[in-house]
Amino acid sequence: MQMKLVPGNSAGTVTTLYLKSPGTTWDEIDFEFLGNLSGDPYTLHTNVYTQGKGDKEQQFKLWFDPTADFHTYTIIWNPQRIIFTVDGTPIREFKNMESVGTLFPKNQPMRMYSSLWNADDWATRGGLVKTDWSKAPFTASYRGFNQEACVWSNGKSSCPNGSGQGTTGSWLSQELDSTAQERMRWVQKNYMIYNYCTDTKRFPQGLPKECFAA
């Protein structure tokens, strides 16, 4: 999806692109853009939920102004991994680590959603900065939606035997090569501002197992 975010004072707003399944034990993969005061950068918030359990947040600043033009945000989701990319540059990889007991969303079909909503109880500086409704309407723009997917209908997948759709189906087994891994490390070194895997205060009894897995 190509997106152009709310310009100016966007504090308190959240612009989203996400996948989610229904129910109380839902799966979810999130791109959430947390607005900020004029002149301050957006926070890109990513998260993964499996069976209603999340707490897998990583947050980033972007290396460009996401309100000035459209940029492409992509979620690659297959049985082995989830990859978040911005203009083709990977920023995060969440691997299937079921082997160490980490839940991974691969058993429920999900729909894609986009939204713009008010979350001034937490979105900007932990809720300290509220939405200035005198700046309304807040407008984000979307275009160029494209998907390659297995479509779930009447209890069956459109992908026979798990094979991919489209011209190659490569997304179903896509992984990061060495060049992409190097680019992701560059983003995480220079633009990551929060990683649940380093938050020892949040997990005083020990970080999640997947944080130590190769």
Side-chain angles (χ1 to χ4, degrees):
M1 178 74 81
Q2 292 184 329
M3 300 169 60
K4 183 164 65 171
L5 303 184
V6 177
N9 182 357
S10 58
T13 68
V14 178
T15 307
T16 70
L17 170 67
Y18 64 102
L19 300 170
K20 188 177 182 181
S21 63
T24 57
T25 54
W26 74 97
D27 294 347
E28 184 175 343
I29 304 170
D30 291 335
F31 263 129
E32 294 184 317
F33 300 86
L34 313 185
N36 220 328
L37 294 169
S38 299
D40 291 340
Y42 266 81
T43 295
L44 171 50
H45 177 96
T46 67
N47 204 354
V48 177
Y49 288 80
T50 309
Q51 298 175 23
K53 298 178 180 178
D55 298 334
K56 311 294 184 187
E57 301 96 335
Q58 287 185 0
Q59 294 183 340
F60 305 84
K61 299 298 184 186
L62 294 167
W63 50 96
F64 53 85
D65 179 358
T67 73
D69 204 351
F70 285 91
H71 293 269
T72 302
Y73 303 93
T74 303
I75 296 170
I76 299 164
W77 169 43
N78 61 41
Q80 295 81 38
R81 57 187 47 82
I82 298 163
I83 303 170
F84 299 80
T85 77
V86 176
D87 289 335
T89 295
I91 64 169
R92 178 181 185 179
E93 180 181 28
F94 184 80
K95 294 182 178 179
N96 183 337
M97 299 303 299
E98 292 175 305
S99 59
V100 298
T102 300
L103 296 174
F104 186 86
K106 65 180 180 65
N107 296 317
Q108 300 187 72
M110 293 192 267
R111 292 183 180 273
M112 195 213 80
Y113 300 89
S114 294
S115 62
L116 170 58
W117 52 289
N118 176 48
D120 65 4
D121 57 331
W122 67 273
T124 305
R125 300 182 188 173
L128 294 177
V129 182
K130 302 299 183 182
T131 303
D132 182 355
W133 290 105
S134 71
K135 305 297 183 183
F138 300 101
T139 303
S141 301
Y142 296 80
R143 73 180 187 188
F145 168 61
N146 181 54
Q147 71 171 14
E148 291 184 65
C150 299
V151 179
W152 190 262
S153 179
N154 297 321
K156 294 182 179 180
S157 171
S158 65
C159 299
N161 302 319
S163 63
Q165 295 292 292
T167 55
T168 65
S170 61
W171 62 270
L172 200 57
S173 58
Q174 187 168 338
E175 58 186 8
L176 298 177
D177 61 19
S178 58
T179 300
Q181 290 176 359
E182 183 176 343
R183 292 171 72 191
M184 183 173 68
R185 285 193 291 269
W186 172 81
V187 171
Q188 294 182 350
K189 177 182 177 181
N190 293 285
Y191 296 99
M192 180 183 282
I193 57 174
Y194 177 79
N195 182 3
Y196 77 103
C197 275
T198 61
D199 194 343
T200 54
K201 291 183 179 179
R202 182 177 175 185
F203 301 102
Q205 297 180 349
L207 294 171
K209 291 181 179 179
E210 71 268 16
C211 297
F212 302 97

